[in-house]
Amino acid sequence: MKQGDRIVFALWPCVAVFVGLWRYESAWMAIGLYHMGIAVGVVWDRQVLREPRNGWRRLPVFGGLLIGVLTVPTVLMCLPLLVGMNPEETGIVLADKLAQTGLSGAGYWIFFAYFVTIHPVLEELGWRGVLGSRRKGLHLLDLEFAIYHLIVLNFFFPRAWALLVVTLIVLTGSAWLWRQMMTKFGGLGSVIVFHAA
């Protein structure tokens, strides 16, 4: 993939999230547009489809599952502090915004199931597969991966600067870690499970 194509591909999530969430207030449209862009990149670079079959290691899979289990209570405890609201108010605002984007009732659970099964596979194929870099240090792609998530979070909690800064640091670090895992283990298998968790 040429450098210009890589830049467009890396910016596509920002466009998809902006159009889907900010313009049409639809989580389904946002993720659908985002995943269509990834699909185009995967068709462009078909060799990346081999990546999920490789790179399976037990320790990172179990570590990822443990971190995933610990992340949920940590986020629930920290979110009110990071958005500057009490826990009850935070829950109400989040539930209202989710419903506003079409995520309530059964739709929420269907989206949730899709988000923890299909989404990590596609996202890793895109970011660590198509755009992947074997560079040891931080890469601009790590930061770009984090930035599109900030557009999502700012939709739900506008101007929650502490949340945005913490998310930027955590997701940039996660993107870096997942690139290192892909390189070390020779594929995306463990990375996808870690990401899903």
Side-chain angles (χ1 to χ4, degrees):
M1 189 178 273
K2 296 178 187 170
Q3 187 62 25
D5 297 331
R6 291 172 68 86
I7 291 169
V8 169
F9 189 77
L11 291 175
W12 178 249
C14 296
V15 172
V17 165
F18 182 79
V19 170
L21 276 184
W22 288 86
R23 177 69 177 95
Y24 291 100
E25 295 184 343
S26 170
W28 287 106
M29 180 183 286
I31 204 165
L33 289 171
Y34 176 33
H35 288 170
M36 283 190 328
I38 291 172
V40 168
V42 168
V43 167
W44 205 308
D45 183 9
R46 286 190 204 118
Q47 70 180 12
V48 79
L49 290 173
R50 292 191 308 255
E51 297 294 339
R53 294 189 298 245
N54 301 321
W56 291 95
R57 300 292 186 279
R58 266 185 253 149
L59 185 61
V61 167
F62 290 128
L65 292 172
L66 178 62
I67 289 171
V69 167
L70 295 175
T71 298
V72 172
T74 303
V75 168
L76 290 175
M77 281 187 337
C78 295
L79 187 60
L81 296 170
L82 294 172
V83 299
M85 298 177 188
N86 66 51
E88 185 178 316
E89 184 183 8
T90 302
I92 291 168
V93 168
L94 185 56
D96 287 347
K97 281 291 203 173
L98 287 170
Q100 179 183 337
T101 64
L103 300 180
S104 61
Y108 170 83
W109 291 108
I110 293 167
F111 189 92
F112 176 81
Y114 179 85
F115 196 76
V116 298
T117 56
I118 308 300
H119 174 74
V121 174
L122 292 173
E123 196 157 70
E124 290 307 321
L125 281 172
W127 286 98
R128 262 58 71 186
V130 174
L131 293 176
S133 166
R134 301 207 179 268
R135 181 187 213 173
K136 294 267 185 204
L138 281 175
H139 192 285
L140 180 60
L141 289 171
D142 303 331
L143 184 61
E144 290 170 338
F145 174 77
I147 286 173
Y148 103 83
H149 290 84
L150 302 184
I151 297 170
V152 174
L153 288 175
N154 198 50
F155 175 83
F156 288 99
F157 297 104
R159 295 173 300 283
W161 301 114
L163 175 65
L164 297 177
V165 168
V166 168
T167 301
L168 182 69
I169 293 166
V170 168
L171 289 180
T172 300
S174 296
W176 174 84
L177 174 65
W178 292 334
R179 278 192 312 100
Q180 305 314 305
M181 286 173 63
M182 184 196 74
T183 300
K184 181 172 178 151
F185 302 142
L188 290 171
S190 295
V191 177
I192 289 169
V193 174
F194 198 116
H195 186 155

